[in-house]
Amino acid sequence: AQSVTQLGSHVSVSEGALVLLRCNYSSSVPPYLFWYVQYPNQGLQLLLKYTSAATLVKGINGFEAEFKKSETSFHLTKPSAHMSDAAEYFCAVTRAAGNKLTFGGGTRVLVKP
Amino acid sequence: DADVTQTPRNRITKTGKRIMLECSQTKGHDRMYWYRQDPGLGLRLIYYSFDVKDINKGEISDGYSVSRQAQAKFSLSLESAIPNQTALYFCATGRRDSGELFFGEGSRLTVL
């Protein structure tokens, strides 16, 4: 069975500072990995995805994530936080295209002025 | 118009009542999913359907049932609602050749 662990349910960063959200996964086969963002009172939207191509994946709004097989990690980063980045972020894994996603518990990001 | 539409967006009901949450999509995807979101637990899969004749239980299907009325419609029912089913429910769609899911805006259910 697949599982996803997000370290830290809440992260607080200052505007302009680095955003780092941690995600570790377990999967018996090479996975497909995703980061989704949920803004208040909205559904989830895709930030970026890894599907076995380049290990460094760039997404929307300046976010990127690096797939590290040896560490079973897929951490999300953004060099400079903006107030609009305040949201909840979810890491998710699936073992194959078209299969169901397993989500982590989420990390809520607070951006301080 | 939204590609994945959920109704109702908000519902307050009482213990023991039957509730149906509906989802319709215009994306033409064959796969549809119902997830439940609780604080700190992320999203957990309730049921999923890979086509109209295929229904599968997810990790937390007890107390729920679903109906896939057409490729574009997937309903979630709570036959006898209980307070611990208070949550935010999401419908999602996807294609067989892609891992990406597309989500509706959610249905917030409160069971008193």
Side-chain angles (χ1 to χ4, degrees), chain B residues 77-107:
Chain B
S77 294
L78 289 68
E79 295 300 326
S80 180
I82 56 177
N84 76 1
Q85 292 177 313
T86 292
L88 183 57
Y89 291 85
F90 284 104
C91 175
T93 71
R95 299 194 322 259
R96 67 183 64 193
D97 62 346
S98 170
E100 180 180 356
L101 297 188
F102 297 82
F103 286 82
E105 293 192 332
S107 295

Side-chain angles (χ1 to χ4, degrees), chain A residues 41-94:
Chain A
N41 300 312
Q42 294 187 25
L44 280 72
Q45 65 182 79
L46 184 69
L47 268 181
L48 50 79
K49 61 183 176 183
Y50 167 78
T51 56
S52 76
T55 56
L56 183 62
V57 182
K58 295 187 183 299
I60 62 171
N61 301 336
F63 284 93
E64 64 181 35
E66 186 173 9
F67 171 68
K68 292 187 176 180
K69 184 178 179 180
S70 61
E71 298 178 7
T72 60
S73 70
F74 190 55
H75 302 331
L76 181 70
T77 60
K78 181 173 180 177
S80 177
H82 190 273
M83 296 300 291
S84 61
D85 295 327
E88 188 158 19
Y89 294 79
F90 295 93
C91 183
V93 64
T94 185

Side-chain angles (χ1 to χ4, degrees), chain B residues 41-60:
Chain B
L41 298 179
L43 280 76
R44 292 178 293 166
L45 184 62
I46 306 173
Y47 270 96
Y48 60 105
S49 169
F50 284 172
D51 64 40
V52 174
K53 297 181 180 180
D54 177 79
I55 302 289
N56 303 280
K57 292 183 177 180
E59 58 182 305
I60 55 163

Side-chain angles (χ1 to χ4, degrees), chain B residues 4-74:
Chain B
V4 184
T5 303
Q6 293 183 230
T7 56
R9 295 290 313 281
N10 288 282
R11 181 73 183 269
I12 300 173
T13 191
K14 295 182 178 180
T15 297
K17 295 292 188 181
R18 184 178 187 275
I19 294 296
M20 178 180 285
L21 306 179
E22 298 184 323
C23 177
S24 63
Q25 54 123 339
T26 58
K27 299 190 76 67
H29 291 165
D30 50 355
R31 301 179 178 217
M32 298 187 74
Y33 306 79
W34 276 104
Y35 284 89
R36 165 179 172 161
Q37 183 182 12
D38 297 279
L41 298 179
L43 280 76
R44 292 178 293 166
L45 184 62
I46 306 173
Y47 270 96
Y48 60 105
S49 169
F50 284 172
D51 64 40
V52 174
K53 297 181 180 180
D54 177 79
I55 302 289
N56 303 280
K57 292 183 177 180
E59 58 182 305
I60 55 163
S61 59
D62 287 350
Y64 302 95
S65 62
V66 291
S67 173
R68 185 84 183 263
Q69 301 95 324
Q71 186 192 36
K73 295 183 182 295
F74 193 37

